[in-house]
Amino acid sequence: MSRRYDCSDPMERTRGIAEAMSAVRRGELIVLPTDTVYGVGADAFTPPAVTALLEAKGRGREMPPPVLVGSVRAAAALVEDLGIYGQDLIDEFWPGALTLVCRANPSLVWDLGETKGTVAIRMPMHELAVELLKETGPLAVSSANLSGQPAARNAGEAEKMLGDKVSVYLDGGVSGHADPSTIVDLTGSVPRLLRAGAIPEDKIRSVVGVLLTDEDEPAEAPSEPETPKPSLTKDEPPKASDAPAEPAEKPSLIKPPQDD
């Protein structure tokens, strides 16, 4: 049976965080607010919990969830390499609505789905979310909704869709904003914009200089091994800009919904 905690009350917040931590350690699902939308989360290193998360949403392994972290240090431990621009982007935009797709640390034992060696990571700008993440460690987090339905902006909407599939709901009021995070792929030699979002393209470009987009000719893209585009935490009908048609010489990316 699920339990919802009103985190506007200090005592409820303390109890809610403690219960959420316990649920994560038991391999159960929780719902938490972020700076974009509400997310449903599970321990990133407990494969059955990640499977339960995908099943709760009605989603398959071909759409692996991203991972939210509570610190830059935690993010660095999950990736093989941030590349030339990763640290600069983190310094400029984290915590915040920027998701970075990197090569995953090959020494980690986890199973997020069909990632083909990549991981999408983000540190949200939300006090409650970060407080929880610092206690639980990295969480696999997808939007708190059934696949194909609008992402929940409050705990009540999430509970209507997910019900008792989730053990703990942390009610932090209305989420920050409805815009999805901007996604930048750092697995190639040149950063690529996978999805426009809350952080404008020109601000990303001001940090990295060259930023490939859907409009670039195939010859301009670096040749890379096939890698998937991970799914993110906000389910909405995909827009044209959300699902780039990748030519053969670009990384092969799984078409995701607008997940943050």
Side-chain angles (χ1 to χ4, degrees):
M1 186 175 182
S2 62
R3 176 76 189 271
R4 186 160 140 194
Y5 294 88
D6 179 2
C7 294
S8 65
D9 178 275
M11 292 186 66
E12 279 275 292
R13 177 189 175 108
T14 299
R15 283 197 296 268
I17 289 175
E19 286 298 321
M21 288 167 51
S22 296
V24 167
R25 288 170 185 152
R26 293 192 300 266
E28 297 169 0
L29 305 183
I30 64 169
V31 159
L32 67 155
T34 77
D35 50 345
T36 55
V37 297
Y38 269 70
V40 55
D43 182 4
F45 294 97
T46 303
V50 176
T51 298
L53 185 158
L54 295 174
E55 289 177 348
K57 287 178 60 70
R59 175 178 289 184
R61 285 174 51 81
E62 73 282 358
M63 301 177 78
V67 175
L68 296 190
V69 295
S71 68
V72 174
R73 184 176 181 178
L78 301 180
V79 304
E80 182 176 34
D81 185 10
L82 285 171
I84 300 172
Y85 306 101
Q87 190 61 56
D88 290 339
L89 289 167
I90 286 172
D91 290 344
E92 185 69 23
F93 300 114
W94 278 18
L98 175 66
T99 297
L100 299 176
V101 179
C102 303
R103 300 285 179 190
N105 184 336
S107 69
L108 296 177
V109 180
W110 60 356
D111 183 6
L112 298 172
E114 296 174 10
T115 65
K116 297 183 181 178
T118 67
V119 62
I121 52 174
R122 185 169 86 87
M123 181 179 176
M125 186 182 285
H126 193 286
E127 184 182 354
L128 176 59
V130 170
E131 182 179 349
L132 177 66
L133 287 161
K134 285 182 176 178
E135 297 294 337
T136 62
L139 294 179
V141 178
S142 185
S143 56
N145 59 291
L146 297 176
S147 192
Q149 297 298 314
R153 295 289 312 282
N154 59 60
E157 291 178 357
E159 193 169 11
K160 272 186 184 176
M161 287 184 275
L162 300 174
D164 286 340
K165 295 174 184 176
V166 170
S167 296
V168 175
Y169 290 83
L170 296 180
D171 187 346
V174 178
S175 61
H177 55 79
D179 291 334
S181 65
T182 300
I183 311 169
V184 176
D185 181 2
L186 298 179
T187 61
S189 58
V190 179
R192 171 171 289 277
L193 182 71
L194 297 185
R195 182 183 67 196
I199 299 175
E201 179 182 334
D202 61 338
K203 288 191 175 182
I204 301 293
R205 202 179 296 276
S206 71
V207 174
V208 301
V210 179
L211 181 67
L212 298 177
T213 68
D214 297 349
E215 298 166 0
D216 292 306
E217 293 298 322
E220 295 178 45
S223 179
E224 292 293 329
E226 186 175 88
T227 58
K229 179 175 178 181
S231 91
L232 305 163
T233 58
K234 182 182 173 188
D235 277 347
E236 290 178 1
K239 303 174 185 176
S241 61
D242 298 331
E246 297 292 334
E249 55 265 58
K250 297 180 184 177
S252 175
L253 302 168
I254 294 177
K255 175 182 172 182
Q258 283 191 2
D259 261 12
D260 186 18

